[in-house]
């Protein structure tokens, strides 16, 4: 890798530092924001880690290695929350501060990646510096990235992207060293591809795309490395191992999901084909909002995005993508930048926006995806303006105006995230059919003591989205208990919930709300109206509906809930019946432990020992969790035998 020429101006570096500081300041307007819907499921155990005022080592290890947000557990991302997680659940400010700094580091890493890429292409050194700096700062300014930064748990996306960018940078640095320092070059390249991918997927699985992205870079923008014929053979084998085989593995993984789509989409209100048609439109929305942003379009809640089948809109979207690809392909002999931008954008969405049964729309999926098109845009502008002063002034002016527009919209979005009560109301008004937006606003109103207004929000939304009314009416019943509503209103709400649970045709979670109703009932919060039999009827109605008990986890949770209702009444037969049903649906150690405890409390030690022989839990794939659970199993067995 050649050093920068001595006459390279320091102006780009000064511009980079000032722009970086300004953008971090803009993001600081959002640090006073609140928690969001995915924070609690992933961060709740931080309370046990910091509950004693210091870090509990055992609880910290369990928190780091027991994650279930992805198939690999994401332990590196979870470990990062030990840095600033002591503020959970009081304030996310420290976590959002760290997220912003990590986002800023990613902007610098991206600048390094683009600079290394441009220098390998043999571009003008001074122009390369400016293109890398401007493209990375335009990316840093993107309002579409705000939800990925100012939602605490999305650090998983940020940290995974950090390792992807670091890996790409090391790869490109190594690529530049191959000619003169061969050993160092191969070492950096292997560390970049292998290390960046491994560390990235342990933060979030999106990093598995790093080898494919590097292939896109290498194939479209870089010349073949100047190697001897003998070393060209090494280069070919490197491409097979670093590019082709990982790409094949990802394609096989996606095909496997597609072939088993019926089971994979059991708890979604759309099927595989509807998802693919809808994504064709969503990808255009992502691109539009990245290049021409509007503040009100950004936020955490997009669960109201309409499911689209084959229609003129989706067919037009697919046709437009095919036309764009055709144009970029034809232009490749004149410029590789358009084809690179398109392939980069699509590869970044290869997992989260294709067949995997995720939710339809999330803005943070564009975190790396939008970087390629922005680089192509700035590079094309620089090439167009090269050598002609009027064009240079015009290109600089247009990019400057565009940057100011992005900065203004970014300030609007981050300021909104920082004003949580205002944001909750505005997001609800912008997404009146979003169940999550309604629940978020209702939760905020309840926390501030306005329970009646919170209940009204749930009722209004339930009327607009009747197919999700069950979950909202359940929460409305919960708030009616808190408000000490009269018996007639409670009965009306209860009957409505029963009807919703029996007739629901779309999946929605009910277990946690049922559990809260049980707690309210135990505390006499419903003036005795919600007694045990009513709660049992609610749970049994949900269990009988295949749409609500679509997955083994849902069925197991509902059986488990019914068992807790019977155990409070010391009904041994019914308790064991539902615990055994939960165990048969989803074999878990915690269920075995409770079954043993119930039998021991009834003085049935021999039956408890036989039960452990009969019901073996399904050990988790996570090696740390598997070891911990097996140790617990053997200890429990030893206690029974003694």
């Amino acid at each position: 890798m050649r050093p920068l020429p001595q006459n390279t101006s320091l102006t780009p570096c000064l511009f980079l530092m000032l722009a970086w500081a300004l953008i971090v300041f803009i993001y600081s307007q959002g640090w006073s924001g609140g928690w969001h819907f995915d924070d609690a499921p992933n961060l709740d155990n931080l309370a046990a880690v910091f509950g004693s005022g210091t870090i509990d080592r055992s609880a910290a290890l369990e928190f780091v290695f027991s994650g279930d947000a992805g198939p690999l557990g994401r332990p590196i991302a979870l470990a990062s929350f030990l840095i600033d997680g002591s503020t959970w659940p009081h304030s996310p400010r420290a976590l959002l501060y760290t997220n912003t700094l990590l986002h800023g580091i990613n902007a610098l890493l991206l600048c390094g990646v683009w600079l290394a890429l441009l220098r390998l292409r043999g571009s003008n050194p001074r122009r390369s510096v400016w293109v890398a700096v401007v493209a990375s700062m335009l990316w840093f300014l993107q309002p579409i990235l705000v939800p990925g930064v100012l939602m605490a748990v999305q650090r998983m996306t940020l940290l995974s992207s950090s390792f992807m960018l670091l890996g790409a940078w090391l790869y490109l640095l190594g690529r530049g060293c191959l000619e003169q320092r061969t050993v160092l070059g191969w070492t950096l390249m292997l560390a970049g591809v292998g290390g960046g991918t491994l560390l990235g997927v342990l933060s979030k699985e999106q990093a598995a795309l790093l080898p494919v992205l590097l292939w896109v870079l290498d194939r479209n923008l870089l010349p073949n490395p100047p190697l001897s014929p003998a070393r060209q053979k090494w280069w070919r084998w490197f491409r097979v191992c670093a590019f082709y085989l990982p790409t094949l593995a990802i394609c096989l993984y996606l095909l496997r999901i597609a072939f088993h789509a019926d089971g994979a989409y059991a708890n979604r209100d759309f099927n595989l084909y509807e998802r693919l048609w809808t994504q064709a439109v969503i990808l255009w929305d992502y691109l539009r909002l990245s290049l021409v942003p509007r503040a009100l379009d950004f936020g955490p809640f997009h669960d109201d995005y309409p499911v689209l089948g084959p229609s003129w809109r989706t067919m037009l979207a697919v046709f437009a993508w095919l036309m764009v690809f055709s144009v970029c392909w034809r232009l490749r002999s004149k410029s590789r930048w358009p084809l690179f931008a398109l392939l980069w954008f699509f590869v970044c969405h290869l997992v989260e926006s294709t067949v995997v049964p995720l939710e339809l729309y999330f803005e943070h999926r564009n975190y790396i995806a939008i970087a390629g098109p922005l680089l192509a845009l700035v590079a094309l502008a620089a090439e167009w303006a090269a050598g002609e002063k009027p064009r240079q002034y015009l290109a600089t002016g247009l990019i400057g105006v565009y940057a100011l527009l992005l900065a203004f919209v970014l300030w609007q979005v981050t300021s909104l995230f920082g004003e949580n009560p205002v944001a909750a109301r505005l997001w609800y008004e912008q997404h009146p059919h979003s169940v999550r937006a309604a629940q978020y606003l209702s939760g905020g109103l309840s926390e501030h003591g306005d329970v009646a207004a919170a209940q009204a929000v749930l009722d209004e939304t339930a009327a607009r989205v009747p197919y999700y009314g069950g979950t909202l009416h359940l929460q409305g019943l919960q708030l009616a208990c808190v408000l000490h509503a009269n018996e007639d209103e409670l009965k009306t709400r209860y009957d409505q919930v029963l009807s919703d649970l029996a007739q629901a045709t779309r999946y929605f979670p009910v277990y946690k709300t049922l559990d809260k109703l049980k707690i309210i009932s135990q505390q006499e919060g419903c003036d005795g109206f919600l007694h045990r039999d009513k709660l049992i009827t609610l749970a049994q109605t949900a269990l009988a509906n295949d749409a609500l008990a679509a997955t083994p986890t849902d069925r197991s949770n509902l059986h488990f809930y019914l068992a807790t209702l019977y155990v409070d009444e010391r009904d041994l037969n019914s308790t064991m019946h539902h615990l055994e049903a939960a165990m048969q649906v989803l074999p878990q150690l915690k269920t075995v432990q409770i079954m043993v405890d119930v039998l021991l409390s009834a003085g049935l030690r021999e039956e408890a020992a036989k039960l452990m022989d009969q019901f073996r839990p399904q050990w988790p794939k996570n090696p740390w969790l598997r070891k911990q659970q097996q140790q617990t199993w053997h200890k429990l067995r030893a206690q029974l035998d003694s």
Side-chain angles (χ1 to χ4, degrees):
M1 179 67 70
R2 302 186 308 275
L4 284 173
Q6 293 298 315
N7 61 352
T8 299
S9 172
L10 292 177
T11 306
C13 298
L14 180 61
F15 173 81
L16 176 67
M17 290 187 290
L18 291 175
W20 193 92
L22 174 63
I23 298 168
V24 169
F25 171 75
I26 294 174
Y27 265 99
S28 71
Q29 308 307 301
W31 295 347
S32 56
W35 303 107
H36 294 282
F37 55 90
D38 270 348
D39 293 337
N42 292 283
L43 304 180
D44 254 349
N45 290 336
L46 283 173
V49 176
F50 296 99
S52 62
T54 57
I55 294 182
D56 183 314
R57 183 177 178 182
S58 176
L61 287 172
E62 183 173 356
F63 172 75
V64 170
F65 292 107
S66 63
D68 58 0
L72 299 179
R74 307 178 182 179
I76 293 179
L78 290 174
S80 74
F81 289 108
L82 300 179
I83 299 171
D84 46 21
S86 59
T87 60
W88 173 269
H90 308 295
S91 169
R93 185 179 185 87
L95 283 78
L96 300 182
Y97 168 80
T98 305
N99 281 11
T100 301
L101 291 185
L102 190 56
H103 184 41
I105 291 171
N106 288 348
L108 298 178
L109 286 172
L110 183 65
C111 183
V113 170
W114 291 158
L115 182 57
L117 171 68
L118 293 166
R119 292 178 65 198
L120 277 174
R121 281 176 57 81
S123 301
N124 177 279
R126 179 175 173 79
R127 189 198 309 164
S128 297
V129 173
W130 273 112
V131 169
V133 168
V134 171
S136 60
M137 289 302 101
L138 286 179
W139 176 84
F140 198 11
L141 276 170
Q142 282 292 314
I144 199 172
L145 306 183
V146 170
V149 179
L150 297 183
M151 296 173 66
V153 78
Q154 289 307 325
R155 180 174 308 172
M156 296 175 177
T157 298
L158 300 175
L159 199 56
S160 176
S161 300
S162 299
F163 290 121
M164 291 177 72
L165 293 171
L166 180 60
W169 195 19
L170 290 176
Y171 170 79
L172 292 170
L173 291 176
R175 185 86 146 69
C177 292
L178 280 181
E179 184 178 2
Q180 298 177 349
R181 305 172 69 182
T182 306
V183 174
L184 177 62
W186 286 114
T187 302
L188 289 175
M189 289 168 66
L190 289 170
V193 179
T197 303
L198 176 62
L199 295 175
V201 297
L202 293 177
S203 301
K204 190 177 180 181
E205 293 74 15
Q206 64 167 9
L209 294 171
L210 175 60
V212 192
L213 289 174
L214 292 177
W215 187 14
V216 169
L217 276 179
D218 210 285
R219 181 68 179 84
N220 284 275
L221 298 179
L222 297 180
N224 286 325
L227 299 173
S228 65
R231 289 174 178 171
Q232 282 290 345
K233 186 177 180 180
W234 296 3
W235 171 242
R236 287 193 294 270
W237 277 109
F238 176 84
R239 284 189 299 179
V240 169
C241 296
F243 300 155
Y244 307 157
L245 291 180
T247 302
L248 178 62
I250 291 172
C251 291
L252 291 175
Y253 168 74
L254 297 177
L255 284 173
R256 180 176 176 272
I257 293 176
F259 285 139
H260 298 86
D262 290 343
Y265 283 79
N267 65 338
R268 293 296 181 195
D269 56 357
F270 50 83
N271 58 39
L272 171 61
Y273 301 104
E274 289 173 330
R275 176 179 173 80
L276 292 176
W277 282 114
T278 307
Q279 288 301 321
V281 177
I282 287 176
L283 290 176
W284 279 115
D285 286 344
Y286 287 155
L287 202 57
R288 172 179 58 84
L289 291 173
S290 299
L291 300 178
V292 188
R294 193 176 75 100
L296 293 179
D297 289 328
F298 302 111
F301 307 115
H302 299 283
D303 52 302
D304 58 339
Y305 199 95
V307 177
L308 305 172
S311 64
W312 69 267
R313 183 183 178 190
T314 54
M315 291 180 182
L316 180 61
V318 172
F319 177 75
W321 282 121
L322 292 174
M323 289 299 297
V324 168
F325 180 81
S326 176
V327 170
C328 293
W329 181 261
R330 288 178 177 275
L331 288 174
R332 73 189 189 283
S333 59
K334 296 181 179 179
S335 175
R336 286 278 183 167
W337 288 114
L339 184 60
F340 157 75
L342 183 66
L343 291 175
W344 179 280
F345 183 75
F346 267 91
V347 166
C348 287
H349 285 288
L350 186 60
V351 173
E352 292 178 306
S353 299
T354 55
V355 303
V356 180
L358 303 172
E359 294 189 34
L360 291 173
Y361 189 113
F362 276 121
E363 287 151 356
H364 64 258
R365 292 173 184 169
N366 295 277
Y367 194 78
I368 295 292
I370 197 58
L374 287 172
L375 172 66
L377 183 67
V378 175
L380 286 170
E383 290 178 2
W384 175 77
E388 297 187 28
K389 288 292 183 182
R391 288 188 177 186
Q392 290 177 6
Y393 294 142
L394 179 60
T396 302
L398 290 175
I399 290 177
V401 170
Y402 181 56
L404 289 175
L405 169 67
L406 291 179
F408 177 67
V409 177
L410 179 68
W411 175 78
Q412 288 180 306
V413 178
T414 57
S415 298
L416 182 61
F417 267 81
E419 296 290 339
N420 205 46
V422 176
R425 173 62 66 178
L426 189 57
W427 288 330
Y428 174 67
E429 291 173 354
Q430 289 295 308
H431 298 274
H433 292 84
S434 167
V435 173
R436 283 192 180 136
Q439 291 170 331
Y440 190 72
L441 176 58
S442 176
L445 292 170
S446 296
E447 288 178 7
H448 288 84
D450 198 348
V451 180
Q455 187 183 56
V457 169
L458 295 177
D459 291 342
E460 290 171 5
T461 310
R464 281 194 290 265
V465 285
Y467 38 85
Y468 287 126
T471 185
L472 298 172
H473 284 136
L474 259 177
Q475 293 167 335
L477 178 61
Q478 174 189 336
L479 294 182
C481 290
V482 174
L483 288 170
H484 300 285
N486 60 55
E487 186 171 350
D488 288 341
E489 181 181 348
L490 290 172
K491 186 177 185 308
T492 300
R493 288 184 175 277
Y494 178 81
D495 291 341
Q496 179 67 58
V497 169
L498 273 182
S499 175
D500 290 338
L501 295 180
Q503 299 176 19
T505 57
R506 299 193 186 188
Y507 169 82
F508 51 80
V510 297
Y511 170 70
K512 290 184 178 180
T513 308
L514 287 175
D515 202 44
K516 291 177 181 177
L517 288 174
K518 177 190 169 188
I519 295 171
I520 290 174
S521 174
Q522 291 171 337
Q523 297 172 347
E524 296 296 328
C526 228
D527 298 326
F529 176 80
L530 273 182
H531 51 75
R532 184 186 66 121
D533 290 343
K534 281 189 168 65
L535 294 175
I536 289 173
T537 302
L538 288 174
Q540 288 177 335
T541 304
L543 188 60
N545 187 330
D546 290 339
L548 301 183
T551 66
T553 300
D554 293 310
R555 293 196 297 277
S556 177
N557 283 339
L558 287 169
H559 279 298
F560 192 85
Y561 175 77
L562 284 164
T564 64
L565 294 175
Y566 285 113
V567 78
D568 292 341
E569 300 295 322
R570 307 191 67 81
D571 185 339
L572 179 61
N573 290 334
S574 297
T575 299
M576 292 304 297
H577 167 74
H578 284 288
L579 287 174
E580 289 178 10
M583 190 66 185
Q584 289 170 351
V585 171
L586 190 65
Q588 296 184 95
L589 178 60
K590 69 172 186 177
T591 309
V592 175
Q593 289 176 293
I594 293 174
M595 293 168 76
V596 169
D597 288 343
V598 169
L599 291 174
L600 289 178
S601 68
L604 302 173
R605 177 177 292 271
E606 186 176 345
E607 285 77 1
K610 291 179 180 178
L611 181 141
M612 289 197 69
D613 293 330
Q614 180 183 357
F615 293 103
R616 301 283 296 188
Q618 181 177 315
W619 305 118
K621 295 180 180 179
N622 184 311
W624 189 87
L625 278 179
R626 182 168 61 249
K627 181 181 178 181
Q628 295 297 311
Q629 290 192 15
Q630 288 175 343
Q631 289 177 349
T632 303
W633 170 270
H634 291 306
K635 286 180 182 178
L636 184 59
R637 182 76 222 199
Q639 290 173 358
L640 287 175
D641 291 341
S642 65

